[in-house]
Amino acid sequence: MRWAIAGYGDVVERRVLPALRALGERPAYLWGRDADRAARVAARHGVPRSGSDEDALFGDGIDAVYVATPVVRHVPLARRALAAGLPVLVEKPLAGGLDQSLEADGHPCAAVAYYRRLAPAVRRLRAALDTWTPRHVEVRFRCAFAPGPTHPMRWRTDPALSGGGVLADAGSHRLDLLVMAFGRPSRVRGGSDTASPRGRSGGPRWSWRGRPACGRGSSRSGATNRRSTGSS
C-alpha cells in the first residue's frame, strides 16, 4: 500500500517509517507544517514526496494515511482521511478529550496504533493468562518528565496540544495493555503530584467507578507518576 504520513517527529523517524519499510509497505508522501523539515526527513528515509500541502495527504496515489502529529490534529486529520475513503491509523492517544470523537461507521478502517500489544513479552503474557488467573496484580509506572521551555518535547505538557499530558501520552500504552490483559476495570483511582507545566504542586485526586468488569475478570492496579507534568 502507498502511505501518506502526517508528522515528522521522533516516532515517525524511529518507528513508523522503518516499520512500514520492514512490512513491504510504500511511504509515498510525508506531510508537516514546516515543508523544509518534511523534505529533510523524507530524504533521510527515501520518501519520494513531501511538503506542507495537507490536501496531498488524501490525494491521488495514496492508499492509506498514518497520523503522527501532536494530539490536537489527530481527529481532524483522521476525519479527512475517512471522508476521502482512505483507511487511517492514528498514533495514541486518539484524542485529547471525550468531547472529541471519530465516527467510523460506513467508512474504511480506522484504528489507533497500540503496537505494544504485539510485543513478544506481551504475547507470552496473554498466552499465560489463558490458563492462569493471578490473584493480585500491581503495576508501578513512573514517568519523570518536565521539559524546559525550549525543549522540543515541551508541547507534550501543553493541554491545548497534547490533551491529557504525559499520562495520556506515555501512560496510555500501559493502560491499554492492562485492559487487554485483564478486562475493563471496575474502579479507577488516580492523582498527580504536579498539576501544571509551571510546577504548581498539589495536583488533583480523582476516582471513577464503572460497570462490572468483563473479559478476564476484574483488575486492580497501583500506579505512581511522581512528576506527571500536565497530566490529569
Side-chain angles (χ1 to χ4, degrees):
M1 295 179 69
R2 297 165 298 180
W3 286 78
I5 298 95
Y8 40 40
D10 179 71
V11 71
V12 169
E13 292 213 65
R14 291 197 305 116
R15 300 190 185 278
V16 177
L17 289 171
L20 290 175
R21 294 287 190 196
L23 292 169
E25 302 292 303
R26 294 170 55 193
Y29 178 73
L30 183 72
W31 174 85
R33 291 179 299 171
D34 184 333
D36 291 336
R37 182 179 174 185
R40 292 194 299 270
V41 174
R44 282 197 292 269
H45 295 273
V47 181
R49 295 190 298 128
S50 65
S52 57
D53 180 7
E54 186 176 304
D55 291 340
L57 285 167
F58 321 106
D60 294 337
I62 300 300
D63 301 313
V65 178
Y66 196 111
V67 178
T69 62
V71 179
V72 68
R73 296 290 293 150
H74 284 185
V75 169
L77 290 175
R79 284 174 177 164
R80 288 203 62 186
L82 293 176
L86 297 170
V88 59
L89 188 59
V90 186
E91 267 296 320
K92 55 75 189 166
L94 172 62
L98 296 177
D99 58 333
Q100 302 175 44
S101 63
L102 184 64
E103 297 293 336
D105 292 344
H107 292 284
C109 176
V112 179
Y114 280 119
Y115 52 83
R116 296 192 185 189
R117 297 178 182 182
L118 304 177
V122 174
R123 289 182 171 183
R124 291 194 294 270
L125 173 63
R126 294 188 70 179
L129 290 173
D130 284 339
T131 58
W132 170 71
T133 300
R135 295 184 59 186
H136 177 75
V137 176
E138 183 172 334
V139 176
R140 294 186 178 272
F141 168 52
R142 182 178 185 274
C143 185
F145 189 76
T150 61
H151 194 284
M153 295 298 180
R154 179 70 172 182
W155 67 268
R156 287 182 162 179
T157 69
D158 183 351
L161 295 177
S162 63
V166 74
L167 179 60
D169 188 344
S172 61
H173 269 305
R174 282 76 177 176
L175 296 172
D176 174 69
L177 293 179
L178 286 171
V179 172
M180 180 199 67
F182 302 110
R184 284 177 56 86
S186 58
R187 185 180 182 187
V188 178
R189 292 180 296 173
S192 174
D193 291 338
T194 302
S196 74
R198 295 180 179 85
R200 188 177 76 250
S201 61
R205 296 294 186 268
W206 51 267
S207 64
W208 170 84
R209 188 182 298 273
R211 296 174 300 176
C214 58
R216 296 181 183 276
S218 62
S219 62
R220 297 182 63 186
S221 64
T224 59
N225 189 345
R226 297 297 184 190
R227 295 184 68 187
S228 54
T229 307
S231 66
S232 59

